[in-house]
Amino acid sequence: MRLRLRPRDDSYYEMFTDSANNLVIAARLLVELMSDGADREAITEKMRACEHAGDDATHAIMRRLNKGSAPPINREDIYQLASNLDDVMDSMEAAVDLIGLYGLERLPKGIIDQIEVLERAAELTAEAMPRLRHLDDLTRYWIEINQLENQADRIYRKLLARLFSGEYDALTVLKLKDVIEELENAADAFEHVANTVETIVVKNG
Amino acid sequence: MRLRLRPRDDSYYEMFTDSANNLVIAARLLVELMSDGADREAITEKMRACEHAGDDATHAIMRRLNKGSAPPINREDIYQLASNLDDVMDSMEAAVDLIGLYGLERLPKGIIDQIEVLERAAELTAEAMPRLRHLDDLTRYWIEINQLENQADRIYRKLLARLFSGEYDALTVLKLKDVIEELENAADAFEHVANTVETIVVKNG
Amino acid sequence: MRLRLRPRDDSYYEMFTDSANNLVIAARLLVELMSDGADREAITEKMRACEHAGDDATHAIMRRLNKGSAPPINREDIYQLASNLDDVMDSMEAAVDLIGLYGLERLPKGIIDQIEVLERAAELTAEAMPRLRHLDDLTRYWIEINQLENQADRIYRKLLARLFSGEYDALTVLKLKDVIEELENAADAFEHVANTVETIVVKNG
């Protein structure tokens, strides 16, 4: 797989779309990681490449902002949105990294539910970014992301209860808790993206 | 008990007051939870209702902002303040939820001290919100919330030391730590509310 | 050692520089703490004094903002920068406090690497603050802080793996994890300072 990002200079909207498409790739890597017989090392490598591609996209946005070309929307909001998208990537990458770092062989099945919510949130976000240009039909996106975040929250809490059910020793609980917390952070970060989009709509709508 | 919120359309200040009054109700539910023979299940239910009432209040504020009626203060600050108030509620609700989720029967007494600080902070916040209208006498509120946050911090650290004193096994430490951290988050979130209020005073004072 | 802060009224830039110089003192106290035969109690006391000096610096900035004298840069950005600098101090102080609170005698060597990164970040930040006046040569600072944060991240993750390598029991892992997380928070907080500086450059450059 070749990770590709085209931070073209002609539009912030396209840069945000690229950045969000990159999150879709990352979410799919998470799905892949959970499949039987997954090559975890290869996936961890791809995830790292994905994070670097995300960093490049963020820096391209920042560089363009710094050059002083007039952005179509408020500078601070562009900065905020780029940071929020970056935060999602960081959490997803951290989750994969921790799984390797802790040598976690067996992961509780419920993690798949967390990851599926992230995949859906990534897709919705990637679909919404091009609509920023005309502030078009973003209420539905915002509501759906909020619903997904609530769903992620319930899954996360169920997983927490599962971790403490007596099945795992304390050290394993600590390790698994770090992983599911990073995935929960990713879900929260998708909500922050949506909140920033809402702020942009409020200011420019 | 009937939870009631009146997000009337005539004023943001009243909506913020409603939202903060809801935090007073939530803080008192926490106090109730710690009393002997408390009906934990019933309190957890009421807390959830309280959180939903809080969500409704937040959305009422957001909807009014989106409608484009000219707000008396900066849009972003209204957005920020509504989010901050929402964060307090989320942390208090999460603490109660975790207690149930983890099946924690016995809670260390020091948690009562944490909760009393939250109750006082909620009351101060609810008293301050109506004064936002005339930016009236808010310095005292801000200073008191900062003092309460420092007090909460000391209580939190004492509780942490207690958790690790050898009385509890590792899994119980992990569970209790999550609960007292959420309560500490609530105290921090009250400080964020106060900081946003201060920002509003700085901009409009 | 006498901790000294001169929150002079004649310039925000000098107040920020004072605040950042205070972080250099705090970082050096962390280095001292890790040396053989360190007087931990005395260092914890000095760290607390350092935090109070930081609070005084922050409040001096806020008071001046509230007095309404026209700041050279955006009010909110001044507020943000003061808060970010304060966050760094809080995390460093919390790390030292937790070491005492938990009665941690033996600390893993890798913590020294974390602390050296913090010391370097503090020095870079203190050097950058006076350059804010003319928005002078801040790109290099911002890039270096980002590199240091990446380095801190790698050190942090290596320490995490070390904690879980089987050398420590679960309760000790929990305690040490809290300490290294606070140090990681301090590194993140330095990055937030740099991000706010970048925002200021973007807006005023």
Side-chain angles (χ1 to χ4, degrees), chain C residues 13 16-25 27-28 81 85 88 92 115-132 136-152 186-187 189-191 193-195 197-198:
Chain C
Y13 306 113
F16 287 133
T17 303
D18 286 337
S19 189
N21 281 335
N22 202 35
L23 297 180
V24 174
I25 296 172
R28 286 179 186 159
L81 187 53
L85 289 165
V88 179
M92 291 202 283
I115 288 170
E116 279 173 357
V117 170
L118 294 179
E119 193 186 14
R120 183 77 194 114
E123 288 165 356
L124 280 172
T125 306
E127 285 161 26
M129 287 302 114
R131 299 206 301 274
L132 259 183
D136 189 17
D137 196 19
L138 289 159
T139 311
R140 196 173 44 84
Y141 150 72
W142 187 75
I143 291 172
E144 284 186 9
I145 290 288
N146 274 276
Q147 287 167 344
L148 283 175
E149 202 278 329
N150 286 336
Q151 196 182 330
F190 272 119
E191 197 184 26
V193 171
N195 288 343
V197 168
E198 215 207 0

Coordinates of all heavy atoms in Angstrom, one line a residue, chain C residues 13 16-25 27-28 81 85 88 92 115-132 136-152 186-187 189-191 193-195 197-198:
Chain C
Y13 N 6.2 41.0 27.5 CA 7.3 40.1 27.1 C 8.2 39.8 28.2 O 8.7 38.6 28.3 CB 8.1 40.8 25.9 CG 7.1 41.2 24.8 CD1 6.9 42.5 24.5 CD2 6.5 40.2 24.1 CE1 6.0 42.9 23.5 CE2 5.6 40.6 23.1 CZ 5.4 41.9 22.8 OH 4.5 42.3 21.8
F16 N 6.5 37.2 30.4 CA 6.6 35.9 29.9 C 8.0 35.3 30.0 O 8.1 34.1 30.3 CB 6.2 35.8 28.4 CG 4.7 36.0 28.2 CD1 4.2 36.9 27.2 CD2 3.8 35.3 28.9 CE1 2.9 37.1 27.0 CE2 2.4 35.4 28.6 CZ 1.9 36.3 27.7
T17 N 9.0 36.2 29.9 CA 10.3 35.7 30.0 C 10.6 35.3 31.5 O 11.2 34.2 31.7 CB 11.3 36.8 29.6 OG1 11.0 37.2 28.3 CG2 12.8 36.4 29.7
D18 N 10.1 36.1 32.4 CA 10.2 35.7 33.8 C 9.6 34.3 34.1 O 10.1 33.5 34.8 CB 9.5 36.7 34.7 CG 10.3 38.0 34.8 OD1 11.5 38.0 34.6 OD2 9.7 39.1 35.1
S19 N 8.4 34.2 33.5 CA 7.6 32.9 33.7 C 8.4 31.7 33.2 O 8.5 30.7 33.8 CB 6.3 33.1 33.1 OG 5.4 32.0 33.4
A20 N 9.0 31.9 32.0 CA 9.8 30.9 31.4 C 11.1 30.6 32.1 O 11.5 29.5 32.2 CB 10.0 31.2 29.9
N21 N 11.7 31.7 32.6 CA 12.9 31.5 33.4 C 12.6 30.6 34.6 O 13.5 29.8 35.1 CB 13.5 32.8 33.8 CG 14.3 33.5 32.7 OD1 14.8 32.8 31.8 ND2 14.4 34.8 32.7
N22 N 11.5 30.8 35.2 CA 11.0 30.1 36.3 C 10.9 28.6 36.0 O 11.2 27.7 36.8 CB 9.7 30.6 36.8 CG 9.4 30.3 38.2 OD1 10.3 30.3 39.0 ND2 8.1 30.0 38.5
L23 N 10.6 28.3 34.7 CA 10.5 26.9 34.3 C 11.9 26.3 34.2 O 12.1 25.1 34.4 CB 9.8 26.8 32.9 CG 8.3 27.2 32.9 CD1 7.8 27.1 31.5 CD2 7.5 26.5 33.9
V24 N 12.9 27.1 33.8 CA 14.2 26.6 33.8 C 14.7 26.2 35.2 O 15.3 25.2 35.4 CB 15.2 27.7 33.2 CG1 16.6 27.3 33.3 CG2 14.8 28.0 31.8
I25 N 14.4 27.1 36.2 CA 14.7 26.7 37.6 C 14.1 25.4 38.0 O 14.7 24.5 38.5 CB 14.3 27.9 38.5 CG1 15.0 29.2 38.2 CG2 14.5 27.5 40.0 CD1 14.5 30.4 39.0
A27 N 13.0 22.9 36.0 CA 13.6 21.8 35.3 C 14.9 21.4 36.0 O 15.2 20.2 36.1 CB 13.8 22.2 33.8
R28 N 15.7 22.4 36.4 CA 17.0 22.1 37.0 C 16.8 21.4 38.4 O 17.6 20.6 38.8 CB 17.8 23.4 37.1 CG 18.4 23.7 35.8 CD 19.2 24.9 35.7 NE 19.5 25.2 34.3 CZ 19.9 26.4 33.8 NH1 20.0 27.4 34.6 NH2 20.1 26.5 32.5
L81 N -1.1 32.0 26.4 CA 0.3 31.8 26.6 C 0.6 31.7 28.1 O 1.4 30.8 28.6 CB 1.1 32.9 26.0 CG 2.6 32.7 25.9 CD1 3.0 31.4 25.3 CD2 3.3 33.8 25.1
L85 N 2.1 28.3 29.9 CA 3.4 28.3 30.8 C 3.1 27.7 32.2 O 3.8 27.0 32.7 CB 3.9 29.7 30.8 CG 4.6 30.2 29.5 CD1 4.8 31.7 29.6 CD2 5.9 29.6 29.2
V88 N 2.9 23.9 32.2 CA 4.2 23.2 32.3 C 4.6 23.1 33.8 O 5.0 22.0 34.2 CB 5.3 24.0 31.5 CG1 6.6 23.3 31.7 CG2 4.9 24.2 30.1
M92 N 5.4 19.7 36.2 CA 6.7 19.4 36.8 C 6.6 19.3 38.3 O 7.1 18.4 38.9 CB 7.7 20.5 36.4 CG 8.1 20.4 34.9 SD 9.7 21.1 34.5 CE 9.2 22.9 34.5
I115 N 13.8 14.1 31.8 CA 14.1 15.4 32.5 C 15.0 16.2 31.7 O 14.9 17.5 31.6 CB 14.6 15.1 33.9 CG1 13.4 14.6 34.8 CG2 15.2 16.3 34.5 CD1 13.8 14.1 36.2
E116 N 16.0 15.6 31.1 CA 17.0 16.4 30.3 C 16.3 17.0 29.1 O 16.6 18.2 28.7 CB 18.1 15.5 29.8 CG 19.2 15.4 30.9 CD 20.3 14.4 30.6 OE1 20.2 13.7 29.5 OE2 21.2 14.2 31.5
V117 N 15.3 16.3 28.5 CA 14.5 17.0 27.4 C 13.7 18.2 28.0 O 13.7 19.2 27.3 CB 13.6 15.9 26.8 CG1 12.6 16.6 25.8 CG2 14.4 14.9 26.0
L118 N 13.2 18.0 29.2 CA 12.4 19.1 29.7 C 13.3 20.3 30.0 O 13.0 21.5 29.8 CB 11.7 18.7 31.1 CG 10.6 17.6 30.9 CD1 10.1 17.3 32.3 CD2 9.5 18.1 30.0
E119 N 14.5 20.0 30.5 CA 15.5 21.1 30.8 C 15.8 21.9 29.5 O 15.8 23.1 29.5 CB 16.8 20.6 31.4 CG 17.7 21.6 32.0 CD 19.0 21.1 32.5 OE1 19.3 19.9 32.1 OE2 19.7 21.8 33.2
R120 N 16.1 21.1 28.4 CA 16.4 21.8 27.1 C 15.2 22.6 26.6 O 15.3 23.7 26.1 CB 16.8 20.7 26.1 CG 17.2 21.2 24.8 CD 18.6 21.8 24.8 NE 18.8 22.5 23.5 CZ 19.0 23.8 23.5 NH1 19.1 24.5 24.6 NH2 19.2 24.5 22.4
A121 N 14.0 22.0 26.8 CA 12.8 22.7 26.3 C 12.6 24.0 27.1 O 12.2 25.0 26.5 CB 11.6 21.8 26.4
A122 N 12.8 23.9 28.4 CA 12.7 25.1 29.2 C 13.7 26.2 28.8 O 13.3 27.4 28.7 CB 12.9 24.8 30.7
E123 N 14.9 25.8 28.5 CA 15.9 26.8 28.1 C 15.5 27.4 26.8 O 15.6 28.7 26.6 CB 17.3 26.1 28.0 CG 17.9 25.8 29.4 CD 19.1 24.8 29.3 OE1 19.4 24.3 28.2 OE2 19.6 24.5 30.4
L124 N 15.1 26.6 25.8 CA 14.7 27.1 24.5 C 13.5 28.1 24.7 O 13.5 29.1 24.0 CB 14.2 26.0 23.6 CG 15.3 25.2 22.9 CD1 14.7 24.0 22.2 CD2 16.1 26.1 21.9
T125 N 12.6 27.7 25.5 CA 11.4 28.6 25.7 C 11.8 29.9 26.4 O 11.3 31.0 25.9 CB 10.4 27.8 26.6 OG1 10.1 26.6 26.1 CG2 9.1 28.6 26.8
A126 N 12.7 29.8 27.4 CA 13.1 31.1 28.0 C 13.9 32.0 27.0 O 13.8 33.2 27.1 CB 14.0 30.8 29.2
E127 N 14.6 31.4 26.1 CA 15.4 32.2 25.1 C 14.4 32.8 24.1 O 14.7 33.8 23.5 CB 16.4 31.3 24.3 CG 17.6 30.9 25.1 CD 18.3 29.7 24.5 OE1 18.2 29.5 23.3 OE2 19.0 29.0 25.3
A128 N 13.3 32.0 23.8 CA 12.4 32.5 22.8 C 11.5 33.6 23.2 O 11.1 34.5 22.4 CB 11.5 31.3 22.3
M129 N 11.1 33.7 24.5 CA 10.1 34.6 25.0 C 10.5 36.1 24.6 O 9.7 36.8 24.2 CB 9.9 34.5 26.5 CG 9.1 33.2 26.8 SD 7.4 33.2 26.1 CE 7.6 31.7 25.0
P130 N 11.8 36.5 24.9 CA 12.1 37.9 24.6 C 12.0 38.2 23.1 O 11.7 39.4 22.7 CB 13.6 38.1 25.0 CG 13.9 36.9 25.9 CD 12.9 35.8 25.4
R131 N 12.1 37.2 22.2 CA 12.0 37.4 20.8 C 10.6 37.6 20.3 O 10.3 38.0 19.2 CB 12.7 36.2 20.0 CG 14.1 36.0 20.4 CD 14.9 35.3 19.2 NE 14.4 34.0 18.9 CZ 14.7 32.9 19.5 NH1 15.6 32.9 20.5 NH2 14.2 31.7 19.2
L132 N 9.6 37.3 21.2 CA 8.2 37.6 20.9 C 7.9 39.0 20.5 O 7.1 39.3 19.7 CB 7.3 37.2 22.1 CG 6.6 35.9 22.1 CD1 5.7 35.8 23.3 CD2 5.7 35.7 20.8
D136 N 10.6 37.5 16.3 CA 11.9 37.4 15.7 C 12.4 35.9 15.8 O 12.6 35.4 16.8 CB 12.9 38.3 16.5 CG 14.2 38.4 15.8 OD1 14.3 38.1 14.6 OD2 15.2 38.8 16.5
D137 N 12.6 35.3 14.6 CA 13.4 34.1 14.6 C 12.7 33.0 15.4 O 13.3 32.3 16.2 CB 14.8 34.4 15.1 CG 15.7 33.2 14.7 OD1 15.4 32.4 13.8 OD2 16.8 33.1 15.4
L138 N 11.4 32.9 15.4 CA 10.7 32.0 16.2 C 10.4 30.6 15.6 O 10.0 29.7 16.2 CB 9.4 32.6 16.8 CG 9.6 33.7 17.8 CD1 8.5 34.7 17.9 CD2 10.0 33.1 19.1
T139 N 10.6 30.6 14.3 CA 10.3 29.3 13.6 C 11.3 28.2 14.0 O 10.9 27.1 14.3 CB 10.6 29.5 12.0 OG1 9.8 30.6 11.6 CG2 10.1 28.3 11.3
R140 N 12.6 28.6 14.2 CA 13.5 27.6 14.7 C 13.2 27.1 16.1 O 13.2 25.9 16.3 CB 14.9 28.3 14.8 CG 16.1 27.4 14.9 CD 17.4 28.3 14.8 NE 17.3 29.5 15.5 CZ 17.6 29.7 16.9 NH1 18.0 28.6 17.6 NH2 17.5 30.8 17.5
Y141 N 12.7 28.0 16.9 CA 12.3 27.6 18.3 C 11.2 26.6 18.2 O 11.2 25.5 18.8 CB 11.9 28.8 19.1 CG 10.8 28.6 20.1 CD1 11.1 27.9 21.3 CD2 9.5 29.1 19.9 CE1 10.1 27.7 22.3 CE2 8.5 28.8 20.9 CZ 8.8 28.2 22.0 OH 7.8 27.9 22.9
W142 N 10.2 26.9 17.4 CA 9.0 26.1 17.2 C 9.4 24.7 16.7 O 8.9 23.7 17.2 CB 8.0 26.8 16.3 CG 6.7 26.1 16.2 CD1 5.7 26.1 17.2 CD2 6.2 25.3 15.2 NE1 4.6 25.3 16.8 CE2 4.9 24.8 15.6 CE3 6.7 24.9 13.9 CZ2 4.1 24.0 14.7 CZ3 5.9 24.1 13.1 CH2 4.6 23.6 13.5
I143 N 10.2 24.6 15.7 CA 10.7 23.4 15.2 C 11.4 22.5 16.2 O 11.2 21.3 16.4 CB 11.5 23.6 13.9 CG1 10.6 24.1 12.8 CG2 12.2 22.3 13.5 CD1 11.4 24.6 11.5
E144 N 12.3 23.2 16.9 CA 13.1 22.5 17.9 C 12.3 21.9 19.1 O 12.5 20.8 19.5 CB 14.2 23.4 18.5 CG 15.4 23.5 17.5 CD 16.6 24.3 18.1 OE1 16.5 24.5 19.3 OE2 17.5 24.6 17.4
I145 N 11.3 22.7 19.5 CA 10.4 22.2 20.5 C 9.6 21.0 20.0 O 9.4 20.0 20.8 CB 9.4 23.3 21.0 CG1 10.1 24.4 21.8 CG2 8.2 22.7 21.8 CD1 10.6 24.0 23.2
N146 N 9.2 21.0 18.8 CA 8.4 19.9 18.2 C 9.3 18.7 18.2 O 8.9 17.6 18.4 CB 7.9 20.2 16.8 CG 6.5 20.9 16.9 OD1 5.5 20.2 17.1 ND2 6.5 22.2 17.0
Q147 N 10.6 18.9 17.8 CA 11.5 17.7 17.8 C 11.7 17.2 19.2 O 11.8 16.0 19.4 CB 12.9 18.2 17.2 CG 12.8 18.4 15.7 CD 14.0 19.1 15.1 OE1 14.8 19.7 15.9 NE2 14.2 19.0 13.8
L148 N 11.9 18.1 20.2 CA 12.1 17.6 21.5 C 10.8 16.9 22.0 O 11.0 15.9 22.7 CB 12.3 18.8 22.5 CG 13.7 19.5 22.4 CD1 13.7 20.7 23.3 CD2 14.8 18.5 22.9
E149 N 9.6 17.3 21.6 CA 8.4 16.6 22.0 C 8.4 15.2 21.4 O 8.0 14.3 22.1 CB 7.2 17.5 21.6 CG 6.0 17.1 22.5 CD 5.2 15.9 21.9 OE1 5.3 15.7 20.7 OE2 4.6 15.2 22.8
N150 N 8.8 15.1 20.2 CA 8.9 13.8 19.6 C 9.9 12.9 20.3 O 9.6 11.7 20.6 CB 9.3 13.9 18.1 CG 8.2 14.4 17.3 OD1 7.0 14.3 17.6 ND2 8.5 15.0 16.1
Q151 N 11.0 13.5 20.7 CA 12.0 12.7 21.4 C 11.5 12.3 22.8 O 11.6 11.2 23.2 CB 13.2 13.7 21.6 CG 14.5 13.0 22.0 CD 15.6 14.0 22.2 OE1 15.6 15.1 21.6 NE2 16.6 13.7 23.1
A152 N 10.8 13.3 23.5 CA 10.2 13.0 24.8 C 9.2 11.8 24.6 O 9.1 10.9 25.5 CB 9.5 14.2 25.3
A186 N 4.4 17.4 30.9 CA 5.2 18.7 30.9 C 5.8 18.9 29.5 O 5.8 20.0 29.0 CB 6.3 18.6 31.9
A187 N 6.2 17.8 28.9 CA 6.8 17.9 27.5 C 5.7 18.4 26.5 O 5.9 19.2 25.7 CB 7.4 16.6 27.1
A189 N 3.1 20.1 27.3 CA 2.7 21.4 27.6 C 3.7 22.4 27.0 O 3.3 23.5 26.6 CB 2.6 21.6 29.2
F190 N 5.0 22.0 27.0 CA 6.0 22.9 26.3 C 5.6 23.0 24.8 O 5.7 24.1 24.2 CB 7.4 22.3 26.4 CG 8.1 22.8 27.6 CD1 8.6 21.8 28.5 CD2 8.4 24.1 27.8 CE1 9.3 22.3 29.7 CE2 9.2 24.5 28.9 CZ 9.6 23.6 29.8
E191 N 5.1 21.9 24.2 CA 4.6 22.0 22.8 C 3.4 23.0 22.7 O 3.3 23.7 21.7 CB 4.3 20.6 22.3 CG 4.2 20.6 20.8 CD 3.8 19.3 20.2 OE1 3.1 18.5 20.9 OE2 4.2 19.0 19.0
V193 N 2.8 25.6 24.5 CA 3.4 26.9 24.6 C 3.9 27.3 23.1 O 3.5 28.4 22.6 CB 4.6 27.0 25.5 CG1 5.3 28.3 25.4 CG2 4.1 26.8 27.0
A194 N 4.6 26.4 22.5 CA 5.2 26.7 21.2 C 4.1 26.9 20.2 O 4.1 27.7 19.3 CB 6.1 25.6 20.8
N195 N 3.0 26.1 20.3 CA 1.9 26.2 19.4 C 1.2 27.6 19.5 O 0.8 28.2 18.5 CB 0.8 25.1 19.6 CG 1.3 23.8 19.1 OD1 2.3 23.7 18.3 ND2 0.7 22.7 19.5
V197 N 2.7 30.3 20.6 CA 3.6 31.2 20.0 C 3.4 31.3 18.5 O 3.4 32.3 17.9 CB 5.1 30.9 20.4 CG1 6.1 31.7 19.5 CG2 5.3 31.2 21.9
E198 N 3.3 30.1 17.9 CA 3.1 30.0 16.5 C 1.8 30.8 16.1 O 1.7 31.5 15.1 CB 3.0 28.6 16.0 CG 3.7 28.5 14.6 CD 3.1 27.3 13.8 OE1 2.3 26.6 14.3 OE2 3.6 27.2 12.6

